[in-house]
Amino acid sequence: MAEVGGEGFGPLLRQSRLAASLTIEALAEASGVSVRGIGDLERGRRATPQRGTVAALADGLGLGEAERERLLAAARAGRHPRHTTVGVRAFPRGIHHFVGREAELARLTALAEEAASGLPVVVALPGPPGTGKTTLALHAARMLADRFPDAQLMVDLRGMDETPPGPAELILRVLKALGVPDRDLAKAGPQGHPELYRQALAERCCLLVLDNARDEAQVRPLLPSAGTGMVMITSRRMLTGLESVHRLPLGELSPAESAAFLTPLVGQERADADPDALAEVAQRCAHLPLALRVAGNWLATRSGWTVRRLADRLALEERRLDTLTAGDLHLSAAFDLSYRQLTPRAARLFRLLSLVDGPDVDAAGAARLTGRPLFDTEDTLEELVESGLLGTDRDRYRFHDLLCLYARSRLRAEEPDGSAEAARSALHRWLLETAVVAGRWYEPDHGAPPTTWQGDVDLSSAERARQWLQAEGDNWLAALRAAAAAGQHATVVEVAEALHWFSDQWIFWGHWPEVFRTAVRSAQALGDPLVEATQLNYHAWALLICEGRTRDSVERTAQALAAARRAEDLPQQGWAHYYRAWALGLLGDHAGAARHNREAAGLFETVGDLHGTLQAMSNTAQNLSLGGRQEEAIAEILRTLAFLDQAGDRIEPHIATFTRTTLQMNLGLAHTALGNWSEGAAHLRAAADLWRDSANHGLESRALVRLGDALLAAGRHDEARTVFTRAVSLGTAADPSSLADARDRLDSLRTHRAPPPARGSADCRTTRAE
């Protein structure tokens, strides 16, 4: 390691001071630089000072321009950028193979510029095992080296060791690396080393990489309080206790970055031969840099293998972690280091979280897995987050894909027989019970949870119930499948019954046909024709509106009508006629639709079913519109709105709001069909805003596309562009076909082409049997 400081600057400073007949004390008073600082510079004990210090010394010496420039040149010559590793390891190989992280590198560059302003900058780079934290820090250190001319130091904090080095040992290592003389270290003693450390960093422009930090206590004493330096800390932990720190959490690479990462490792020819297989390898590696490196090394040492062969091998989940091993490079070993540091309670929760079927879970669901109180579980979850083994998205917790596989391997190895299945069953039971309570917010004669219900989830409003049902959709659906497989048919039917009105709020989720098809099978297993008729009607709705299978829906309504007649149940007979009328209207059989709708209306009137009567009236208007009789359709819509107003609170509030908004939309469609563009657009805009306010973004997207079309027809292209952009911004929450339509419209507007016709049915109604 080269001596810190410059042989040229110290003697030149001393020579200039003596030529000016100044003592060190006199020069200190004239320049503002400390006596000790000047003495250390003259003796070479200190690194070459920054430009401001040299300028102050030159002013104190009264130097002319030529002598001043000579002193500055000597200072510049003494600043030789160098990389120093403090500890036992050198820079790792592979640092030059670096891909991606452009945003992080740009941020680090900007922060390095901030450091030049006179205050030290501290940046934390936390992330799960294998995300390339050290590689990023070293790449950034090399990229930014010229900005920190006095030194670039790397300190291995060995945070994953059983007994990592403490702050005192680390401080001493840095002081020696910075060239602080042993006599000064001995004179200050261990108790004075922290002050020497702070002074050394304050007087130097250094870049310090603190790699693999264990926790805040190990790092905090190493952070500078003054100077123009920069510190980068890598850690598997989030280090949330550190203050005044910039944080750049690292996750996986993008698919494009992963492909770029793998290509030089496997060879351009093999990568080009099967890009789909290369993408699959990246996906199976969950875009984790360490896993990608292992996979790339595996192929690099097996020249006879195709990329497809490795992709197929990685497709086997139970063997994926074993496959991701190359020589002494084991992906599981990286996870082991963090897992072994968990408390027993956190380790067990980590294992059990692998039982969650969906991509994430909330704290209440995690508590059901362990049987622990909610608040205790939240603390344990935060331990997992802090350790880098669990990610968060607002109030949801999720595994990285490979960490989930690792957790499953620990579950198999460490959980007692039957323990995992008991935990899974407890979670599934709770999910279905909560889904029933949440769904009943939207059911007539139910609403808020009963006062006797006690749960860890806030279901105090219909909106909160909707949020929970959507957030836990994958999880309660898996629980429903498990209940059906276990023969728990009454439970399956109860869940489907509780959710059928809620499904209007989340039409384009994609799983309602499965939910109600499963419930039909359970109803048939129970042997109850009324339950069977009800679920068949629900399934007819799902086939019609969710999948567009109109003829299959007609067939399902025939089965529902037969079951309802066996049960001698008039309401379900009415709903079977209603759904058949709806489907026939969409098929163009308007006479048949009118006939079945009259049957439905008569049955609903006989039993006093206001909700059914309301939907039959709406269906009449829809059939008139589909048949081209727009003026009659408008009159029928207005009559239905009047009926809705007259019924008042006898109609369940969510059904009333949903139906009113649907009628507004159909009113807009009827007016646009007549060429009344402005009036039609006004109704469609009102419907879109109402769907938005009720968070029904699927139907909002449908209304927006039809509103945009009306605006285009009226020649209001700028307004139409704004509306289509709003529809596209809904993303995955939108109706997929409407989202595609909105994108097509925007593309047409950009290229001045005629917009393509809208996809899907003009009908936006989705209501179904009660």
Side-chain angles (χ1 to χ4, degrees):
M1 180 170 59
E3 180 183 0
V4 178
E7 292 183 352
F9 182 82
L12 181 59
L13 175 61
R14 177 178 172 78
Q15 178 184 334
S16 300
R17 178 176 62 78
L18 294 177
S21 301
L22 293 174
T23 64
I24 289 179
E25 289 78 5
L27 178 56
E29 184 175 352
S31 65
V33 180
S34 70
V35 171
R36 180 175 177 177
I38 295 172
D40 286 347
L41 286 170
E42 289 189 358
R43 294 171 176 81
R45 295 177 180 174
R46 241 192 80 182
T48 306
Q50 296 301 299
R51 184 181 182 90
T53 301
V54 178
L57 290 169
D59 290 341
L61 291 167
L63 299 181
E65 286 300 320
E67 293 168 316
R68 176 187 290 267
E69 182 55 38
R70 183 182 173 198
L71 192 65
L72 285 168
R76 286 194 297 270
R79 298 187 188 121
H80 299 294
R82 53 188 170 77
H83 300 277
T84 305
T85 298
V86 183
V88 296
R89 64 187 177 96
F91 280 16
R93 294 185 61 195
I95 182 63
H96 297 293
H97 178 49
F98 187 86
V99 171
R101 306 298 191 198
E102 285 86 358
E104 290 84 356
L105 289 171
R107 180 63 174 147
L108 289 169
T109 301
L111 291 170
E113 293 175 358
E114 288 185 22
S117 65
L119 290 175
V121 170
V122 179
V123 187
L125 301 171
T131 48
K133 301 176 290 295
T134 299
T135 301
L136 172 63
L138 293 176
H139 184 80
R142 295 191 177 198
M143 185 181 71
L144 300 173
D146 290 343
R147 299 172 184 267
F148 302 95
D150 291 335
Q152 300 93 47
L153 311 176
M154 178 176 173
V155 186
D156 184 359
L157 304 189
R158 305 203 316 268
M160 294 294 104
D161 287 6
E162 291 283 344
T163 55
E169 178 183 345
L170 296 169
I171 284 172
L172 182 59
R173 289 185 189 179
V174 175
L175 287 173
K176 288 184 175 182
L178 289 174
V180 177
D182 288 343
R183 60 180 174 273
D184 289 350
L185 294 173
K187 181 179 179 180
Q191 69 278 4
H193 288 173
E195 180 57 34
L196 277 180
Y197 178 86
R198 287 189 289 271
Q199 181 180 344
L201 292 183
E203 294 173 346
R204 294 166 172 82
C205 186
C206 298
L207 177 58
L208 187 61
V209 177
L210 302 178
D211 187 44
N212 194 13
R214 184 181 186 88
D215 54 29
E216 295 90 339
Q218 186 191 36
V219 171
R220 192 174 284 111
L222 305 178
L223 304 183
S225 56
T228 56
M230 182 175 182
V231 178
M232 289 189 285
I233 311 165
T234 73
S235 178
R236 297 184 179 201
R237 302 183 67 83
M238 294 299 293
L239 303 177
T240 53
L242 293 181
E243 298 177 353
S244 302
V245 171
H246 302 274
R247 286 184 171 79
L248 296 179
L250 296 190
E252 62 269 16
L253 298 176
S254 70
E257 290 170 340
S258 296
F261 189 105
L262 284 170
T263 296
L265 295 175
V266 307
Q268 190 71 50
E269 184 177 348
R270 276 201 285 182
D272 291 344
D274 197 343
D276 290 340
L278 191 76
E280 284 185 37
V281 169
Q283 190 271 329
R284 302 297 182 194
C285 291
H287 307 290
L288 190 71
L290 178 58
L292 292 168
R293 184 171 296 283
V294 173
N297 289 351
W298 178 282
L299 283 173
T301 57
R302 291 164 177 80
S303 57
W305 279 46
T306 62
V307 179
R308 167 55 57 196
R309 185 174 176 182
L310 178 59
D312 292 343
R313 187 182 179 101
L314 289 172
L316 302 173
E317 281 193 357
E318 64 274 12
R319 298 193 57 188
R320 191 174 303 163
L321 290 178
D322 292 335
T323 299
L324 289 172
T325 300
D328 63 352
L329 194 58
H330 300 264
L331 183 64
S332 291
F335 298 158
D336 280 335
L337 291 173
S338 292
Y339 178 71
R340 288 202 304 265
Q341 292 191 354
L342 296 174
T343 62
R345 186 172 293 173
R348 182 165 191 264
L349 179 55
F350 175 78
R351 297 190 297 268
L352 291 176
L353 285 173
S354 67
L355 295 171
V356 174
D357 300 281
D360 52 28
V361 71
D362 64 3
R368 293 295 165 159
L369 281 170
T370 62
R372 301 286 307 173
L374 178 61
F375 292 140
D376 289 351
T377 303
E378 287 176 340
D379 291 341
T380 309
L381 287 166
E382 289 307 315
E383 180 183 342
L384 292 173
V385 172
E386 188 65 29
S387 70
L389 292 176
L390 196 63
T392 60
D393 181 9
R394 290 168 291 185
D395 61 346
R396 310 288 298 175
Y397 297 87
R398 69 169 60 226
F399 271 136
H400 185 280
D401 289 352
L402 293 176
L403 276 170
C404 186
L405 293 181
Y406 175 76
R408 287 177 191 166
S409 73
R410 293 296 85 214
L411 183 77
R412 291 191 295 269
E414 300 180 38
E415 280 298 308
D417 291 343
S419 175
E421 189 53 41
R424 188 198 303 271
S425 296
L427 175 62
H428 283 176
R429 186 167 55 252
W430 172 78
L431 284 165
L432 296 181
E433 290 171 353
T434 309
V436 168
V437 175
R440 283 176 174 166
W441 260 111
Y442 297 87
E443 289 291 301
D445 304 322
H446 282 285
T451 56
T452 56
W453 184 75
Q454 293 182 343
D456 292 329
V457 178
D458 182 1
L459 300 180
S460 59
S461 68
E463 173 61 17
R464 291 189 181 277
R466 180 190 62 79
Q467 291 172 358
W468 184 89
L469 286 165
Q470 291 182 339
E472 295 287 353
D474 289 338
N475 291 328
W476 65 252
L477 177 61
L480 188 75
R481 291 168 179 161
Q488 299 169 9
H489 301 303
T491 297
V492 171
V493 168
E494 182 184 27
V495 172
E497 181 66 34
L499 294 174
H500 88 280
W501 278 111
F502 165 74
S503 58
D504 276 339
Q505 309 296 318
W506 198 22
I507 296 168
F508 306 108
W509 173 41
H511 296 289
W512 294 119
E514 178 189 354
V515 169
F516 297 123
R517 181 176 62 249
T518 301
V520 166
R521 291 171 181 164
S522 287
Q524 291 168 341
L526 292 171
D528 186 330
L530 175 57
V531 175
E532 181 183 353
T534 304
Q535 298 304 323
L536 284 166
N537 274 324
Y538 298 164
H539 191 220
W541 167 83
L543 291 171
L544 182 67
I545 193 66
C546 299
E547 294 187 343
R549 294 164 55 185
T550 311
R551 296 189 185 279
D552 290 339
S553 179
V554 170
E555 181 180 342
R556 217 50 163 162
T557 61
Q559 297 168 5
L561 183 59
R565 284 172 175 166
R566 290 199 307 273
E568 299 180 351
D569 186 85
L570 297 183
Q572 289 305 322
Q573 292 178 41
W575 287 110
H577 283 295
Y578 164 78
Y579 286 121
R580 175 167 287 230
W582 186 353
L584 290 175
L586 293 176
L587 289 170
D589 182 0
H590 303 301
R595 183 175 65 255
H596 281 283
N597 203 54
R598 284 194 298 271
E599 289 280 353
L603 288 165
F604 291 143
E605 185 176 356
T606 298
V607 297
D609 187 336
L610 285 178
H611 294 97
T613 299
L614 176 64
Q615 303 314 319
M617 294 176 69
S618 181
N619 208 11
T620 297
Q622 174 68 18
N623 193 43
L624 289 169
S625 183
L626 289 172
R629 298 157 63 182
Q630 305 302 340
E631 291 89 349
E632 294 174 71
I634 291 171
E636 188 64 25
I637 291 171
L638 295 175
R639 189 171 76 87
T640 306
L641 285 169
F643 174 85
L644 185 57
D645 290 337
Q646 186 178 12
D649 58 10
R650 290 181 295 166
I651 302 294
E652 199 279 335
H654 297 97
I655 298 173
T657 299
F658 188 93
T659 305
R660 191 181 301 278
T661 308
T662 300
L663 291 168
Q664 278 287 342
M665 185 164 169
N666 287 338
L667 196 56
L669 293 172
H671 276 292
T672 56
L674 291 170
N676 301 332
W677 307 118
S678 294
E679 190 168 358
H683 288 294
L684 289 168
R685 189 182 300 278
D689 291 344
L690 287 169
W691 291 133
R692 179 198 59 204
D693 294 344
S694 62
N696 196 327
H697 302 303
L699 291 181
E700 179 189 358
S701 66
R702 280 195 172 185
L704 287 170
V705 168
R706 285 151 180 77
L707 169 60
D709 286 345
L711 293 169
L712 282 177
R716 295 153 64 179
H717 287 200
D718 288 342
E719 291 180 68
R721 184 180 291 106
T722 300
V723 167
F724 291 133
T725 300
R726 174 177 157 189
V728 169
S729 72
L730 296 174
T732 56
D735 166 20
S737 64
S738 295
L739 184 63
D741 285 338
R743 287 172 174 159
D744 287 346
R745 300 297 195 280
L746 287 172
D747 184 58
S748 298
L749 286 167
R750 281 191 294 269
T751 58
H752 305 290
R753 292 185 288 109
R759 277 169 276 215
S761 165
D763 178 23
C764 75
R765 286 181 306 103
T766 61
T767 47
R768 82 295 312 286
E770 184 177 348

